[in-house]
Amino acid sequence: MTKSLALTRRQFIQSAFASAIVARYGIGALHAEEPITVGFLYVGAKDDYGYNQSHAESAKIIGELPYVRLIEEERVPETVEVQKSMQSMIELDGAKVLFPTSYGYYDPHVLAVAEQYPDVTFFHCGGLYEEGQPANVGTYWATVDQAQYVSGVTAAHMTKTGKFGMVSAVPIPDILRAVNSFLLGARTVRPDATMQIIYTGDWNVPVKEAEAVNSLADQGIDVVGCEVDSPKVIVETADKRGLYSCGVYASQAGLGAEGFLVSAIPTWAPICQYFLDKSIAKEPFEHTIIGGMAEGYVGNSEFGPAVSDEAKAAAMAAAEGLKSGTTKIYQGPLKDNEGNVRIADGESYSYGDPFIDGIDWLVEGVTGSSSI
Amino acid sequence: MDAFGARTDGLAGRRRRPFLIRSAANAALAEAILIPIAAVGVAFVLFGLFLAVVGSPPLEVFSSIYRGAFGTWFSWQNTLVRAAPLMLVALCTTIPAQLGLVVIGGDGAVLLGGLMAALCGLVLAGAPAAVGLAVMAACAAVVGAGWIGLVGALRHYRGVNETISSLLFTYLAVSVFRHLVQGPLRDPETQNYPGTYPIDPAFAIGEIPSTNIHWGLAAGIVACIAIWIVIKRTPFGQAMRVVGGNPRAARIAGLPVGLLTVAACALGGAFAGLAGFFEVSAVIGRANSALYAHYGLSAVLVSFVARHNAAAVIPAAIAVGGIRAAGGLVQRAHGLPDATVMVFEGIVFLVVLWSASWYGRTPLSRMAADGK
Amino acid sequence: MESSLTELGWLTVPLAVLSGAIRVGTPFLFVSLGECLTERSGRINISLEGTLVMGAMTGYGTAYLTGSPWLGVLAAACAGALLGGMHSLLCSRPGVDHIAAGIALMLFATGIAFFFGKPLIQPRAPQLPDLPLGFWSDLNVVQANLRINPLFVIGVLVAPVMWWAFNNTRWGLYLRTVGDSAEAARALGLGVNGTRAMATMIGGFFAGIGGAFLSLSYPGIWNEGLSSGQGLMAVVLVIFARWHPVRCLWAALLFGGASALAPALQSVGISSGYHLITAAPYLLTLILMIVTSSPERSLRGAPAELALNRTD
């Protein structure tokens, strides 16, 4: 049987898009003109086993297109420096399409440069576009927390104690939702499951991340999830402590950690491909593309060696439910961890609903606060 | 008086010397110009060797550095935007250095000054732009002045070493800044990228006409020249230099050493605070972690390679800004890591600092000495 | 893997903080021992942050290529000594400021480490083995927290030996003489620059080992965010320890414990004031400096030749 559901689907998407391009423009049409210069900017190292790698992987797919010349810059800070890097790509390398991939690039940096260069299109990862902002800006995001729900289901099958931990960078809605979704997934299997959240205060602080895993281990927690830029250290430290771990953004299966279960990963390439096509054709595009499992933008990595067949089957069923829309992660009755009823009995919310985007509380069973 | 005068001079010992080296003062001036040029030349040779060893063609990389830093009008603007904050923050080291103090904590004043500017921009929303900007700038300068002034006061009245205390002050400023921006002062709208409420858009100071450079550059250049005049031409500057030369003599001469120490540190801190104001008003529009851009230690080195001469801070900052501006192009055009320009910057600083030991020991000064 | 809190009760918390202090504090210990030695010779080397990063990269790379983590430690130490040599070469020139030379070298070393470290972010290097000092207990939490790295043990042994050597060996006497009065040392025929160069190189050697600990033991990876300023902090720590190697050990554990405290507190549900907790060691050091300095004689206990110690 297939080891992974996401990888096969991703491969399918890639080939589907490639053939769509050829069908639309014809291979000859693609080669006829000068290749278009496409720039990717990353806030960290592009082989970080995490967030930046997820974008670099999609850049690689884009860069292999015959009509694309790919340029990349790593470790571009979210300051005026990113404005200068984008301008430099446009002015010195003739870039026509830019993908600034870090959340903090958007306001004011992407907006400022986009206004200055109306002929260049900017596609920012973060889902931040608002009415009235420059027409040459698009934004995208993937609801990775849906895959965290599947990770939660997997983890709940593997845990002995029913106690989970999540090492998180900062208390922001995306992370809070990932914590909630993980626990809600786990609770479909283990209704008594609990979750401890620890913030490290920043996106790449290896010593603090390792220390957080250790203190979780001391609490008797046996599965550690994470929401940081580079999960490598968390997966490896969990392995040293004999814990299970779930990764995020990129597959950590390659690390060879025995306790690694599964990763929640976004697949940006189809979205990038859509924006790129529209830019080349000079057609108007959707300014905001946010999708999840149903759209194929989010999935899970291959499973680690420890995962039982039973857990795999349950995870795949959960993923199918999310994909088809039959499973709702946020449905009542649901209380937050301060006892307030957030979703009444019988109500439920689908992704895309503003309610989901506005979640700034933690569900019942999570220890830790929604701020530091 | 001119080349003729030297040639018609009958004294054998003076005949061999070019006219420029006629006096020790001229020799010192010639050294002050030629030694930095020679040092940068040596740095280029060393960096070229480094590139050759790692298998990159040095001349091609040099040409990219030139193109990225000074090759086009865009590149010049890129360089100057990066140089502007370095000039202002370098003054935070330059001014106390007149008294023989080594202050390395400019970053703290930038952060707190910027935070203060953002708060003023909030409170004054609706006020005329000129009033708002003036108050924001003034408050940022005052906070910066107070922060580094405290370092000076601890130095004089408690004997606390200013280098270490200014470093500690920076760490404290970072923690306080993060706490306030992510906690009590946070705009709930800045969900995923915590920051304060945005300032009134009328308080965006904007750019120098027909450029892409904000007014911080003009402020930096004016400040450097003004401080150069203050140090060289005013009683305050003279008093500072007397204290720096011989504190005991200064005290005997009745100079208020304590007041001068605090004033020099406060003045330096004011300019660092002003750098924070420009970041907030011209670039970010609010206070968030983008303000912590780590200018501080580089700015210290800018001041040192300028030999604490405020006017020389301008070209030194432009040179460092240029190296950084070229970083993106070097990465894209040659596939070199982003740290390449960091290596180059390090080599330049090391060699230029080393060249401090050449002053008064070059053939120029020997010739001048022979003439005596 | 059964719940450990119930078995060990409240003892888990101090145990976790202690082992956290050891894990986080070991790099502090090595860098501060190195800095202590250097400063005792009358010279401040602020570049040890760069040395730490360089040591981490060199150690990781060597361990990955050779398969031997101990060779990695050796390579890291040698890289550190080399950087120390560069620092003393620079500082031995007239007119070169120690602080500026240190900052420039920090920038250079960090740049070199990031440059050559690029291909090392993904690979997994063999790690240093731990000593299972908790073997006597059946409890997983005790065993896990008492897995101590041999480098920490070495550091604990070096501290008193260094203190003893300062006070009881000829070389220690030279070092202190040079650090307290260069003039007196010259009058005695001691080579001031040579002694300082030796002290700076050995200091760099130790700081390099601290870096190797970061990449080869805890957290045991290499990337550009590995050091979050531990090297600069260790310079501060030496002042906190008042130039005494054994006190450096306690100070390193204290600073490490303070860093370990924030996650530990969160894991028992206290999460407010996170950033303020991380500032505590800096504030403590500042208060200590204010208390122990006086306008007449700054920094009691400091080597008199130290650039830090200049008084009006």
Side-chain angles (χ1 to χ4, degrees):
Chain A
M1 92 175 256
T2 43
K3 238 176 109 189
S4 143
L5 47 152
L7 223 73
T8 49
R9 192 185 58 245
R10 193 166 55 182
Q11 285 156 354
F12 166 71
I13 289 163
Q14 282 162 19
S15 56
F17 265 92
S19 48
I21 294 295
V22 172
R24 198 177 307 163
Y25 305 107
I27 290 181
L30 295 178
H31 287 287
E33 292 174 41
E34 282 273 289
I36 185 167
T37 303
V38 178
F40 275 77
L41 300 103
Y42 316 103
V43 73
K46 64 185 182 191
D47 47 359
D48 64 352
Y49 261 111
Y51 183 81
N52 296 292
Q53 182 170 327
S54 78
H55 285 287
E57 281 169 3
S58 91
K60 192 157 175 279
I61 293 168
I62 298 293
E64 279 165 4
L65 296 170
Y67 51 95
V68 166
R69 184 170 82 94
L70 177 68
I71 52 176
E72 295 172 283
E73 258 185 61
E74 290 179 273
R75 288 180 17 95
V76 182
E78 294 167 333
T79 63
V80 72
E81 285 194 37
V82 70
Q83 294 190 24
K84 293 298 149 196
S85 283
M86 287 188 287
Q87 290 169 338
S88 173
M89 285 178 165
I90 296 165
E91 295 272 351
L92 301 181
D93 290 338
K96 287 288 171 215
V97 180
L98 290 180
F99 288 94
T101 62
S102 186
Y103 194 93
Y105 290 161
Y106 192 68
D107 185 10
H109 309 300
V110 168
L111 293 177
V113 180
E115 238 165 77
Q116 206 184 339
Y117 297 96
D119 296 341
V120 179
T121 42
F122 299 79
F123 302 107
H124 172 256
C125 186
L128 290 168
Y129 188 82
E130 287 171 20
E131 268 319 301
Q133 288 179 338
N136 54 331
V137 173
T139 184
Y140 57 104
W141 191 242
T143 50
V144 181
D145 64 292
Q146 289 180 313
Q148 292 278 22
Y149 176 90
V150 178
S151 296
V153 172
T154 318
H157 277 278
M158 303 308 297
T159 181
K160 291 192 186 72
T161 63
K163 291 163 87 178
F164 305 119
M166 183 78 92
V167 181
S168 312
V170 281
I172 60 174
D174 269 316
I175 284 185
L176 300 181
R177 217 169 67 220
V179 173
N180 290 340
S181 298
F182 190 103
L183 185 61
L184 290 173
R187 285 196 158 190
T188 60
V189 182
R190 288 277 298 251
D192 63 332
T194 59
M195 167 74 90
Q196 166 78 56
I197 183 166
I198 292 192
Y199 301 110
T200 57
D202 221 329
W203 289 97
N204 181 12
V205 277
V207 175
K208 285 187 176 146
E209 287 160 13
E211 203 47 41
V213 174
N214 273 307
S215 60
L216 287 172
D218 292 339
Q219 299 292 313
I221 275 153
D222 68 352
V223 185
V224 178
C226 51
E227 278 286 335
V228 298
D229 265 359
S230 176
K232 188 182 183 202
V233 70
I234 292 172
V235 172
E236 291 187 344
T237 310
D239 214 35
K240 278 186 211 164
R241 289 295 300 257
L243 310 185
Y244 293 124
S245 58
C246 294
V248 70
Y249 296 129
S251 171
Q252 280 83 40
L255 290 173
E258 280 172 30
F260 171 74
L261 300 179
V262 69
S263 276
I265 53 179
T267 305
W268 310 111
I271 310 178
C272 297
Q273 179 83 68
Y274 163 81
F275 282 132
L276 182 61
D277 292 349
K278 291 290 183 188
S279 297
I280 292 173
K282 302 210 183 301
E283 286 171 16
F285 47 79
E286 291 287 333
H287 286 288
T288 303
I289 294 195
I290 296 180
M293 288 234 162
E295 293 79 6
Y297 301 155
V298 173
N300 291 82
S301 69
E302 66 248 61
F303 295 107
V307 182
S308 66
D309 286 344
E310 181 200 8
K312 282 180 195 172
M316 285 191 204
E320 278 310 314
L322 288 171
K323 245 191 287 185
S324 63
T326 50
T327 303
K328 296 251 193 293
I329 298 178
Y330 291 92
Q331 57 180 337
L334 191 61
K335 282 187 192 166
D336 67 19
N337 67 349
E338 286 163 2
N340 309 309
V341 176
R342 292 290 186 164
I343 303 177
D345 201 1
E347 284 180 37
S348 69
Y349 293 93
S350 305
Y351 278 73
D353 194 307
F355 178 88
I356 298 275
D357 300 330
I359 291 176
D360 58 356
W361 38 269
L362 293 162
V363 297
E364 195 178 19
V366 180
T367 315
S369 78
S370 53
S371 65
I372 50 173
Chain B
M1 304 299 139
D2 53 18
F4 263 102
R7 244 178 244 140
T8 52
D9 198 316
L11 290 172
R14 303 185 84 181
R15 192 180 291 150
R16 272 180 266 115
R17 279 176 289 121
F19 76 104
L20 264 177
I21 320 297
R22 204 173 315 131
S23 69
N26 280 352
L29 183 67
E31 282 190 349
I33 295 166
L34 294 177
I35 287 180
I37 294 174
V40 172
V42 171
F44 263 100
V45 171
L46 290 176
F47 182 57
L49 287 173
F50 172 81
L51 289 171
V53 167
V54 301
S56 270
L59 292 179
E60 284 171 35
V61 176
F62 288 163
S63 122
S64 288
I65 289 178
Y66 173 74
R67 197 163 104 84
F70 307 110
T72 67
W73 171 224
F74 162 75
S75 303
W76 263 105
Q77 299 187 75
N78 188 354
T79 297
L80 292 174
V81 164
R82 290 166 199 260
L86 287 175
M87 289 179 199
L88 287 170
V89 183
L91 289 178
C92 186
T93 301
T94 304
I95 303 171
Q98 308 305 318
L99 296 147
L101 304 180
V102 183
V103 171
I104 62 174
D107 270 336
V110 173
L111 277 180
L112 296 183
L115 183 62
M116 195 61 199
L119 294 182
C120 289
L122 275 180
V123 173
L124 293 170
V131 175
L133 285 172
V135 174
M136 282 166 72
C139 289
V142 166
V143 168
W147 192 246
I148 304 295
L150 199 54
V151 170
L154 283 175
R155 172 77 183 94
H156 182 77
Y157 298 105
R158 288 297 315 173
V160 177
N161 175 262
E162 77 286 353
T163 309
I164 300 298
S165 71
S166 63
L167 187 65
L168 289 168
F169 266 57
T170 296
Y171 286 129
L172 292 177
V174 171
S175 297
V176 169
F177 178 85
R178 289 204 168 135
H179 177 75
L180 291 176
V181 166
Q182 295 181 14
L185 298 179
R186 175 172 172 189
D187 169 8
E189 288 286 306
T190 59
Q191 290 184 325
N192 285 344
Y193 198 70
T196 60
Y197 289 90
I199 59 170
D200 189 330
F203 300 157
I205 195 166
E207 288 163 349
I208 301 172
S210 72
T211 70
N212 200 212
I213 308 166
H214 63 71
W215 284 102
L217 176 71
I221 291 175
V222 169
C224 285
I225 293 172
I227 290 300
W228 183 77
I229 293 170
V230 166
I231 290 169
K232 296 281 181 206
R233 295 276 182 272
T234 65
F236 173 58
Q238 273 171 350
M240 284 199 295
R241 284 183 291 139
V242 171
V243 176
N246 187 341
R248 202 155 290 151
R251 203 166 275 138
I252 292 166
L255 285 174
V257 176
L259 191 66
L260 284 167
T261 306
V262 176
C265 289
L267 193 59
F271 286 113
L274 215 52
F277 156 74
F278 279 108
E279 285 298 300
V280 166
S281 169
V283 184
I284 318 173
R286 55 160 56 104
N288 62 27
S289 61
L291 199 53
Y292 187 32
H294 302 272
Y295 295 122
L297 292 182
S298 300
V300 172
L301 292 178
V302 164
S303 182
F304 268 98
V305 300
R307 299 175 67 71
H308 304 312
N309 176 328
V313 162
I314 299 172
I318 291 175
V320 174
I323 295 174
R324 297 195 169 172
L329 190 64
V330 167
Q331 214 183 127
R332 302 194 301 269
H334 303 280
L336 285 165
D338 52 271
T340 311
V341 287
M342 208 171 162
V343 173
F344 185 38
E345 203 183 314
I347 292 177
V348 170
F349 278 135
L350 285 174
V351 179
V352 176
L353 288 174
W354 169 277
S355 74
S357 64
W358 302 347
Y359 289 88
R361 289 175 186 77
T362 60
L364 291 175
S365 45
R366 269 202 296 280
M367 279 191 262
D370 286 345
K372 285 226 172 98
Chain C
M1 222 169 280
E2 288 304 311
S3 174
S4 40
L5 264 176
T6 47
E7 288 173 46
L8 208 61
W10 61 271
L11 272 174
T12 312
V13 178
L15 183 66
V17 170
L18 174 69
S19 73
I22 290 173
R23 288 187 299 253
V24 182
T26 303
F28 285 130
L29 173 60
F30 277 95
V31 182
S32 65
L33 285 176
E35 184 68 24
C36 181
L37 182 70
T38 309
E39 289 190 14
R40 274 297 183 109
S41 78
R43 176 179 285 162
I44 183 163
N45 181 1
I46 206 170
S47 77
L48 291 188
E49 171 70 23
T51 312
L52 189 78
V53 176
M54 185 73 175
M57 189 281 291
T58 318
Y60 200 77
T62 309
Y64 173 66
L65 291 174
T66 64
S68 160
W70 288 107
L71 271 181
V73 175
L74 186 67
C78 292
L82 192 70
L83 287 171
M86 281 177 73
H87 186 269
S88 45
L89 207 62
L90 207 56
C91 287
S92 65
R93 307 295 303 161
V96 178
D97 185 88
H98 296 187
I99 300 288
I103 296 175
L105 197 63
M106 185 193 325
L107 192 73
F108 173 74
T110 311
I112 292 279
F114 286 5
F115 187 98
F116 290 106
K118 210 60 171 178
L120 296 172
I121 297 175
Q122 285 233 334
R124 216 180 174 190
Q127 299 284 302
L128 292 168
D130 287 330
L131 303 173
L133 298 185
F135 60 90
W136 45 270
S137 168
D138 297 333
L139 295 178
N140 182 289
V141 67
V142 173
Q143 289 183 4
N145 277 309
L146 289 181
R147 292 182 69 86
I148 303 297
N149 193 278
L151 283 182
F152 175 73
V153 179
I154 293 172
V156 169
L157 295 176
V158 166
V161 169
M162 191 185 280
W163 176 76
W164 179 83
F166 280 163
N167 294 307
N168 296 291
T169 65
R170 180 178 302 216
W171 203 79
L173 181 68
Y174 290 170
L175 186 81
R176 285 184 294 127
T177 311
V178 168
D180 282 332
S181 167
E183 264 174 46
R186 279 193 201 97
L188 290 171
L190 300 175
V192 173
N193 271 335
T195 309
R196 286 184 181 161
M198 190 56 93
T200 315
M201 285 178 72
I202 299 174
F205 185 89
F206 282 124
I209 295 177
F213 178 87
L214 277 178
S215 63
L216 293 174
S217 174
Y218 191 79
I221 56 149
W222 160 256
N223 76 31
E224 285 120 345
L226 183 58
S227 165
S228 44
Q230 288 100 320
L232 266 181
M233 200 162 164
V235 176
V236 171
L237 193 150
V238 176
I239 296 167
F240 189 79
R242 314 271 303 283
W243 298 272
H244 191 301
V246 178
R247 282 200 295 252
C248 279
L249 171 61
W250 305 129
L253 288 176
L254 183 71
F255 276 45
S259 301
L261 195 62
L265 283 178
Q266 280 191 53
S267 73
V268 294
I270 303 170
S271 59
S272 59
Y274 175 85
H275 293 294
L276 297 182
I277 292 173
T278 56
Y282 306 114
L283 192 63
L284 271 177
T285 308
L286 188 65
I287 292 169
L288 186 98
M289 283 180 78
I290 293 171
V291 170
T292 58
S293 301
S294 73
E296 289 75 35
R297 172 85 173 84
S298 77
L299 289 174
R300 262 199 319 274
E305 280 282 313
L306 202 60
L308 286 182
N309 208 33
R310 186 191 57 240
T311 46
D312 290 354

